[in-house]
Amino acid sequence: MGFESVMIRLELTNGKVSFGDVAQAVGGCGGDIVATDVIRSGASSSVRDIAVQLGRDGYEEMVETLRALEGVEVVNVSDRTFLAHLGGKISIRPTMQIRNRDDLSRVYTPGVARVCAAIANDPKKAYNLTLKRNTVAVITDGTAVLGLGDIGPAAAAPVMEGKAMLFKQLADVDAFPICLDTKDTEEIIRTIKAISPIFGGINLEDISSPRCFEIERRLQEELSIPVFHDDQHGTAVVVVAGLINALKVTGKRMEDIRVVVNGIGAAGVSICRMLLAAGVGRLTPVDRDGAIVRGGAYDYPMWQWLAEQPQVGNRAGALSEVIEGADVFIGVSRAGVLSPDDVRRMAADPIVFAMANPEPEIAPEAAIPLVRVFATGRSDYPNQINNVLVFPGIFRGALDCRAGEINEAMKLAAAEAIANVVTAPELNEQYIIPSIFNEQVVTRVREAVVRAAIATGVAKRIPPDFREPAGEKGGVLHAAGLA
Ligand SMILES: NC(=O)C1=CN([C@@H]2O[C@H](COP(=O)(O)OP(=O)(O)OC[C@H]3O[C@@H](n4cnc5c(N)ncnc54)[C@H](O)[C@@H]3O)[C@@H](O)[C@H]2O)C=CC1
Ligand SMILES: CC(=O)C(=O)O
Ligand SMILES: [Mg+2]
């Protein structure tokens, strides 16, 4: 499904195998040798690196073919993705050099003591005198990492580092990955509270449901900085943005459509809530035991809440049954659970957002010929619906206006801002959602979020570009009593 590029180090026994044999074997597996380097050339053997490009996933078969050649030893295989992770993906740098004792006495003791005392006297000064104002913790317990599941805190780190990279590159937010070695709800809450003083915001990530709901709720109640579980709300925001534009393409209206959401975990619950807030007329939430129905009794409070909503249908059944006649499928569950036959039985002009990572609910090649609009969470197909469109801008805005929380109005404003980046002449089936490299995304999300925070009274600071000229009345600041 993808495109892989690998570096392979081979030891070739002289007289038994030639480089031509190697090239032929690679070509036979569909690979191209795009570069080669002789590392060592000896009397009995030589060591070479070959860089191979493969027009598909799965270089393992090619490596096995090389291993089976007589006289070939595969010393090492490193794909470019692994190379990109060597030593981690972020580091911390000082904002100034310490060049002499004078500098030293200012940034460290004795000078630093006066700064500490100033913060002790007025804790708000931490925002000006430490990294707090621009720093977010990206925190996981490693229990719902992408669609890989409970792989533990150490294995979750590459995703958290990736998010930290995106925060910095896209929104100039300093983010630090924190992987907790506990799954205990109370211990997670206690730990996050204890480390929170240095951070301006908390991005919870890849914490499985239902624990994630309680963890987020309690932290929101007990901390005065924004706490945002990205898998819930970032995902819901980007889904609503994508749906607004997909409906423009198909000419359907929110109130008329029936949406099937498959996977009622962290992402699914929040998507359902936001779809209802956005005016979706009929909703069919589905988890592994089938549809959640109106009037049903469920153990999870969030599922029970859904069962009490008038827009939720009362038709029970497995996904393959309830998908019949649906206008929209939104998958935040796991790979391969939606079949082409399921898609064929949807209503006319079906919209399918198959968002499980790293593999979607249905392969793009199978779905695209059958649907009007198709999107995945991946970057290698058109219409990438991924929360990376949301979290950088939403935190940039929240930090800039020092919002105490990220509320519903801020999320809805972010969704509308993302949808509006795609202009009417640009909008089509292949382009319902802007690319993460579209520079307008973070700017427009930030602006929408700051405005919504001011209007709803959660902003504790007005960023300079939102300050109105003296004497001007009737603006958003006056309306919010902040001017
Ligand atoms: N594209 C994007 O931006 C995002 C994608 N995701 C993806 O969504 C998926 C779920 O993520 P989370 O909600 O964080 O995990 P989660 O673990 O909180 O929820 C997953 C839910 O899917 C359900 N499920 C499992 N197999 C199912 C099946 N065959 N049919 C229906 N439901 C099934 C589980 O019971 C659970 O309720 C993952 O693959 C993740 O990568 C999550 C967040 C953002
Ligand atoms: C994108 C993301 O947050 C996830 O798949 O978990
Ligand atoms: Mg995630």
Side-chain angles (χ1 to χ4, degrees):
M1 215 187 267
F3 179 87
E4 292 209 36
S5 171
V6 278
M7 186 75 80
I8 307 173
R9 180 162 291 185
L10 301 170
E11 178 155 12
L12 308 178
T13 307
N14 296 346
K16 282 199 173 163
V17 67
S18 70
F19 188 69
D21 299 329
V22 169
Q24 200 175 3
V26 169
C29 296
D32 257 346
I33 299 183
V34 292
T36 176
D37 218 356
V38 179
I39 304 302
R40 175 176 66 71
S41 185
S44 59
S45 68
S46 65
V47 175
R48 279 177 182 255
D49 279 348
I50 56 170
V52 179
Q53 274 190 358
L54 206 56
R56 57 178 169 78
D57 280 347
Y59 56 81
E60 293 81 2
E61 180 197 321
M62 181 179 67
V63 171
E64 284 318 307
T65 305
L66 289 173
R67 262 198 192 106
L69 284 181
E70 201 191 342
V72 171
E73 193 197 330
V74 177
V75 181
N76 186 33
V77 181
S78 39
D79 66 32
R80 287 180 57 198
T81 304
F82 273 74
L83 289 177
H85 285 80
L86 281 182
K89 299 193 294 266
I90 57 165
S91 67
I92 290 183
R93 294 218 196 104
T95 56
M96 62 173 277
Q97 281 287 312
I98 305 166
R99 284 158 310 186
N100 49 44
R101 287 193 167 271
D102 188 37
D103 287 346
L104 182 60
S105 66
R106 262 187 273 124
V107 301
Y108 199 50
T109 184
V112 73
R114 282 198 297 119
V115 183
C116 298
I119 297 171
N121 282 336
D122 180 3
K124 283 201 300 302
K125 289 209 163 101
Y127 278 99
N128 284 333
L129 297 172
T130 72
L131 50 68
K132 183 178 177 80
R133 78 162 134 189
N134 201 47
T135 306
V136 165
V138 179
I139 307 184
T140 190
D141 63 356
T143 51
V145 182
L146 306 177
L148 305 172
D150 184 358
I151 59 172
V159 174
M160 306 310 130
E161 288 186 13
K163 287 224 148 163
M165 267 179 121
L166 290 159
F167 262 120
K168 186 66 185 173
Q169 180 170 330
L170 298 174
D172 200 23
V173 169
D174 294 306
F176 196 81
I178 293 174
C179 303
L180 301 175
D181 190 11
T182 172
K183 296 180 198 173
D184 181 81
T185 300
E186 290 305 322
E187 196 175 1
I188 291 174
I189 293 168
R190 222 175 19 252
T191 307
I192 295 176
K193 280 179 69 179
I195 63 168
S196 68
I198 191 70
F199 295 107
I202 306 285
N203 179 127
L204 301 174
E205 189 66 39
D206 291 353
I207 298 177
S208 65
S209 57
R211 291 171 314 123
C212 61
F213 303 121
E214 169 76 359
I215 292 169
E216 188 193 46
R217 186 186 64 75
R218 288 269 304 283
L219 287 169
Q220 282 172 343
E221 277 171 16
E222 295 173 33
L223 292 176
S224 57
I225 54 175
V227 178
F228 182 83
H229 183 197
D230 190 37
D231 297 286
Q232 291 184 55
H233 315 298
T235 315
V237 167
V238 73
V239 163
V240 169
L243 190 58
I244 289 171
N245 281 347
L247 292 182
K248 287 182 201 156
V249 169
T250 57
K252 296 185 182 181
R253 297 184 315 170
M254 285 284 182
E255 54 270 38
D256 299 331
I257 56 172
R258 182 164 72 87
V259 182
V260 170
V261 178
N262 196 60
I264 309 302
V269 163
S270 188
I271 289 169
C272 287
R273 293 182 79 107
M274 203 160 168
L275 288 177
L276 294 178
V280 158
R282 286 169 299 149
L283 181 68
T284 309
V286 186
D287 208 83
R288 54 177 108 219
D289 294 331
I292 292 171
V293 293
R294 193 172 64 248
Y298 299 96
D299 288 340
Y300 298 149
M302 294 297 182
W303 290 18
Q304 190 58 44
W305 180 85
L306 280 169
E308 288 158 14
Q309 302 311 302
Q311 299 91 336
V312 170
N314 52 13
R315 180 174 168 190
L319 173 63
S320 60
E321 297 166 86
V322 298
I323 192 73
E324 183 143 19
D327 300 279
V328 181
F329 169 88
I330 295 167
V332 273
S333 48
R334 56 187 309 148
V337 298
L338 186 71
S339 72
D341 191 46
D342 294 334
V343 178
R344 280 191 200 96
R345 288 181 296 109
M346 291 176 71
D349 294 326
I351 297 169
V352 171
F353 295 173
M355 295 171 51
N357 284 320
E359 299 297 337
E361 282 77 0
I362 182 168
E365 291 75 9
I368 288 169
L370 305 175
V371 302
R372 182 80 188 272
V373 180
F374 183 72
T376 65
R378 298 170 56 122
S379 42
D380 47 359
Y381 289 94
N383 292 335
Q384 182 183 18
I385 300 210
N386 194 297
N387 49 31
V388 63
L389 280 160
V390 180
F391 65 81
I394 232 169
F395 269 99
R396 180 73 276 154
L399 291 174
D400 285 353
C401 69
R402 236 164 262 170
E405 61 183 73
I406 296 172
N407 60 25
E408 296 305 311
M410 292 157 79
K411 288 186 245 170
L412 200 54
E416 280 161 4
I418 294 168
N420 288 335
V421 171
V422 180
T423 61
E426 291 172 330
L427 183 67
N428 66 61
E429 284 81 351
Q430 313 290 320
Y431 187 51
I432 57 159
I433 197 91
S435 151
I436 68 150
F437 296 108
N438 184 323
E439 286 172 2
Q440 286 189 52
V441 173
V442 170
T443 312
R444 303 260 291 261
V445 170
R446 168 193 178 266
E447 189 186 327
V449 163
V450 172
R451 281 194 188 287
I454 293 170
T456 54
V458 298
K460 295 183 199 137
R461 168 181 180 266
I462 305 304
D465 53 331
F466 282 77
R467 289 182 195 149
E468 292 163 79
E472 202 165 301
K473 299 276 181 226
V476 66
L477 305 188
H478 282 92
L482 284 161

